[in-house]
Amino acid sequence: ETLPVLVLGDWNLPDFGPRYRDLTRHLWDAHREAGRGYGYTFPGDVTVPGAFGQPWMRIDYVLTDRQHWEILDSQVQSPFH
């Protein structure tokens, strides 16, 4: 692709494994490049029994091409706000 690319999504993929590696082979993961902390986004509803009171997995991503973008920061909103 020659135009700038920005991909946002609820991928439902953990940040390991072959599908994630395929996505990030040519795209930067904003949180990996400039994020702080773990960046966990799942589960979003921390009151459900499997949440154990907090998010515990990263499955949502902002991905950018490496040629057109500079990633300065990446933050995940706290589920308690």
Side-chain angles (χ1 to χ4, degrees):
E1 181 59 57
T2 59
L3 296 173
V5 174
L6 181 64
V7 182
L8 312 168
D10 178 2
W11 294 94
N12 290 334
L13 292 172
D15 62 344
F16 55 86
R19 289 185 181 161
Y20 175 82
R21 282 193 302 274
D22 286 345
L23 280 172
T24 57
R25 183 169 289 125
H26 300 287
L27 298 171
W28 272 341
D29 176 337
H31 191 76
R32 281 245 165 123
E33 295 300 317
R36 286 175 264 144
Y38 295 109
Y40 295 153
T41 57
F42 175 84
D45 180 356
V46 297
T47 64
V48 297
F52 308 109
Q54 63 185 10
W56 47 268
M57 185 185 305
R58 193 161 77 92
I59 62 170
D60 305 298
Y61 305 98
V62 175
L63 306 174
T64 68
D65 71 75
R66 297 169 187 260
Q67 180 181 357
H68 297 97
W69 300 94
E70 178 182 6
I71 302 166
L72 302 176
D73 192 20
S74 176
Q75 296 181 27
V76 175
Q77 182 178 344
S78 167
F80 305 109
H81 290 129

